[in-house]
Amino acid sequence: MASRIYPPSREEVDEIHGDVVFPDSHPGDPSLPYVAMNMVSSLDGKASVGGKSGSIGGAVDRETMRVLRSKVDAVAVGAGTVRAEKASLTSGGRRSPEPFAVIVSSTLDIPFENLPHTTRERTIILTCKDSNPTMLGEARERGRILTFPPGDGGNRLIDIGGAMRVLKSRHGVGSVLVEGGPRLNHAFIRGGLASEIFLTLSPKILGGDPLETGGIIIGELPGAGEPPRGELLSIHMPEAAGEPGCLFLRYALESPGFR
Amino acid sequence: MASRIYPPSREEVDEIHGDVVFPDSHPGDPSLPYVAMNMVSSLDGKASVGGKSGSIGGAVDRETMRVLRSKVDAVAVGAGTVRAEKASLTSGGRRSPEPFAVIVSSTLDIPFENLPHTTRERTIILTCKDSNPTMLGEARERGRILTFPPGDGGNRLIDIGGAMRVLKSRHGVGSVLVEGGPRLNHAFIRGGLASEIFLTLSPKILGGDPLETGGIIIGELPGAGEPPRGELLSIHMPEAAGEPGCLFLRYALESPGFR
């Protein structure tokens, strides 16, 4: 027994996820912000073409990304994302002030010219205590620097849970949208920090080499027990002409035993 | 503007894809069979755990796989799939005779004890003209052998289009269900041979190393122009208790310029 849910009876909405409201803390720990992840994937599970993900989802995906950013206090990306292209982490004016642009880079080995357009006051760079002093100096001109010990995920990232606590306590960040890359996504999943996932499933087939095209979550998860899984909350599909026909999936996420 | 299609108005069905009927030839070339591909992926785009895909989708996925097999004349898998586990390519009695079990292995470097339970008469092994004679002899005891020149996809596979033509002309195979692995999937996509894709999207998050967990299509696609893309035909979601809550997606596939 199953339900056929597509083709659907349609309920028109003006904006995908325009009605989303996030809580202002992690459901299990009020000292942590609420974290949602936003990802785009090709039909065959690829997350990027030449390190960039913009061409996979199309215009509606980019628009939906800005809608989701307008719902949070901070948008976080990893160093690889900043290396691949100039980061624009704003809501495009939907939220004032714009959410904090949070860059996670343990080594600060990033092209600073690719940092977001956001003002210095709204840019926060999370890095390791022992980062190169020269790089630290340059980074300090671009945004606030917060330093942390290394994480325990074996992926050279910082202690991401500790960083989230500081964002909440010191900067009033109640909600964070994580936009990848796959190793930063992994750190949030592994730490049991993420409460939901927005996945744009593009109908494009990209093929390619798995070492280059990555995937949306890269890194080992604790082996014992069932893997974390999402619970489907909604599916949207835009009707705009010329769009590739992405599915916009929203999943609640439980990570039992991960925290 | 978009449509919210989930939560849905429900149309109950007894069996996912029980109403599917495939044509008996490729829509653009009557000398080729009609090809549909069936894949399962985790939410983060992973296709296998330790080379096996069975645990990703759960019982309804395995049942749906047998339903789809009952709609075709032949079920095809690559050598890697046979290496990973004992292949069972039958419809579980839904179709009589069972579809041909087609194994694609250019080198015949496969554990023959993992070949499907199907009878020798219903097993077809597609391999290269220059395969090792000893392996050829052993393979001949397990099924019919058809030999072909190498393909041009740079992935050590046989000429898969030529093989499909022979299956159709000599064995009356009008429709083929391709069940992976990712390099065989790639050969069908690259050759413009596949007309649709069934994708079971599991809500599980598997993480891991992209070199080990693969993905569902691996191999370069011609770079010029737009990548091939699917057009969504249907979404099903089972309501069985204890199931992980997979989405069963069906896409029509056009591969312009690939043939």
Side-chain angles (χ1 to χ4, degrees):
Chain A
M1 189 73 91
S3 294
R4 170 169 304 173
I5 59 180
Y6 186 89
S9 75
R10 289 150 195 277
E11 176 195 342
E12 301 283 334
V13 299
D14 283 337
E15 200 172 56
I16 295 173
H17 301 320
D19 58 346
V20 164
V21 179
F22 293 122
D24 63 1
S25 66
H26 186 289
D29 184 341
S31 73
L32 285 166
Y34 187 88
V35 174
M37 313 180 74
N38 190 20
M39 315 173 177
V40 59
S41 162
S42 69
L43 197 59
D44 55 329
K46 307 305 182 337
S48 59
V49 181
K52 305 176 186 180
S53 63
S55 68
I56 298 178
V60 175
D61 184 50
R62 290 190 291 275
E63 181 78 2
T64 304
M65 187 159 43
R66 288 188 284 264
V67 169
L68 289 175
R69 287 171 182 164
S70 76
K71 312 289 185 178
V72 292
D73 299 326
V75 178
V77 296
T81 303
V82 178
R83 269 183 226 116
E85 59 192 324
K86 182 154 182 70
S88 166
L89 305 180
T90 78
S91 71
R94 282 178 184 72
R95 183 189 192 282
S96 180
E98 286 287 352
F100 286 106
V102 176
I103 317 296
V104 184
S105 172
S106 57
T107 62
L108 290 179
D109 175 22
I110 49 176
F112 289 105
E113 68 275 17
N114 275 1
L115 285 180
H117 295 273
T118 318
T119 61
R120 184 182 177 284
E121 285 66 38
R122 302 295 290 176
T123 301
I124 297 177
I125 300 171
L126 308 178
T127 187
C128 257
K129 283 187 197 303
D130 57 355
S131 281
N132 179 310
T134 311
M135 304 300 265
L136 264 176
E138 182 154 3
R140 200 162 278 127
E141 292 176 19
R142 310 298 181 122
R144 294 163 196 258
I145 310 293
L146 303 177
T147 62
F148 299 90
D152 59 0
N155 53 11
R156 302 187 309 142
L157 272 176
I158 60 165
D159 167 18
I160 201 74
M164 291 300 109
R165 279 181 224 283
V166 171
L167 282 187
K168 178 133 207 253
S169 64
R170 207 184 302 171
H171 298 276
V173 170
S175 52
V176 179
L177 186 68
V178 179
E179 297 191 353
R183 289 175 211 283
L184 186 63
N185 290 343
H186 169 257
F188 277 92
I189 296 280
R190 188 176 191 282
L193 299 164
S195 291
E196 51 185 289
I197 292 182
F198 294 86
L199 173 65
T200 303
L201 185 67
S202 165
K204 294 183 184 178
I205 294 173
L206 296 178
D209 180 321
L211 264 192
E212 287 165 19
T213 52
I216 57 183
I217 297 171
I218 296 181
E220 295 304 324
L221 296 173
E226 275 288 295
R229 68 172 61 169
E231 183 195 338
L232 185 65
L233 296 179
S234 68
I235 304 177
H236 289 79
M237 192 167 69
E239 287 157 14
E243 279 294 306
C246 291
L247 291 176
F248 290 79
L249 308 171
R250 182 186 185 190
Y251 288 90
L253 191 58
E254 290 201 46
S255 306
F258 270 42
R259 304 197 60 239
Chain B
M1 189 72 91
S3 294
R4 171 169 303 173
I5 59 180
Y6 185 89
S9 75
R10 289 149 195 277
E11 176 196 342
E12 302 282 335
V13 300
D14 284 338
E15 200 171 57
I16 296 174
H17 300 319
D19 59 346
V20 165
V21 179
F22 293 122
D24 63 1
S25 67
H26 187 288
D29 184 342
S31 73
L32 285 167
Y34 187 87
V35 174
M37 315 181 73
N38 190 19
M39 316 173 176
V40 59
S41 162
S42 69
L43 197 58
D44 54 328
K46 308 305 180 343
S48 60
V49 182
K52 304 175 187 180
S53 63
S55 68
I56 297 178
V60 174
D61 183 50
R62 290 190 292 275
E63 181 79 2
T64 304
M65 187 160 42
R66 289 189 283 264
V67 169
L68 289 175
R69 287 172 182 165
S70 76
K71 312 288 185 179
V72 292
D73 298 326
V75 178
V77 295
T81 303
V82 177
R83 270 183 224 115
E85 60 192 324
K86 184 157 180 69
S88 165
L89 304 181
T90 77
S91 72
R94 282 178 185 73
R95 183 189 191 282
S96 182
E98 287 287 353
F100 285 107
V102 176
I103 318 297
V104 184
S105 172
S106 57
T107 63
L108 291 178
D109 175 22
I110 49 176
F112 289 104
E113 68 275 16
N114 274 1
L115 285 181
H117 295 272
T118 318
T119 61
R120 182 181 178 286
E121 286 67 35
R122 301 294 290 176
T123 301
I124 297 178
I125 300 171
L126 308 179
T127 187
C128 256
K129 283 186 198 305
D130 56 356
S131 282
N132 179 310
T134 312
M135 304 299 266
L136 264 177
E138 182 154 2
R140 201 162 276 124
E141 292 176 19
R142 310 297 181 121
R144 293 163 196 259
I145 311 293
L146 303 177
T147 62
F148 298 91
D152 59 1
N155 54 11
R156 301 187 310 142
L157 273 175
I158 59 165
D159 167 18
I160 201 74
M164 290 301 108
R165 280 182 223 282
V166 171
L167 282 186
K168 179 135 208 251
S169 64
R170 206 185 301 171
H171 298 278
V173 170
S175 53
V176 179
L177 186 69
V178 179
E179 296 191 352
R183 289 174 209 284
L184 186 62
N185 290 342
H186 168 257
F188 277 93
I189 296 280
R190 189 176 191 283
L193 300 164
S195 293
E196 51 185 291
I197 291 183
F198 294 86
L199 174 64
T200 303
L201 185 67
S202 165
K204 294 183 185 178
I205 294 171
L206 297 178
D209 180 321
L211 264 192
E212 288 166 18
T213 52
I216 57 185
I217 297 172
I218 296 181
E220 295 305 324
L221 296 174
E226 275 289 295
R229 65 173 61 171
E231 183 195 337
L232 185 66
L233 297 178
S234 68
I235 304 177
H236 289 79
M237 192 167 69
E239 287 158 13
E243 279 293 306
C246 292
L247 290 176
F248 290 79
L249 308 170
R250 183 185 185 191
Y251 288 91
L253 190 58
E254 288 200 47
S255 306
F258 271 42
R259 307 197 58 239

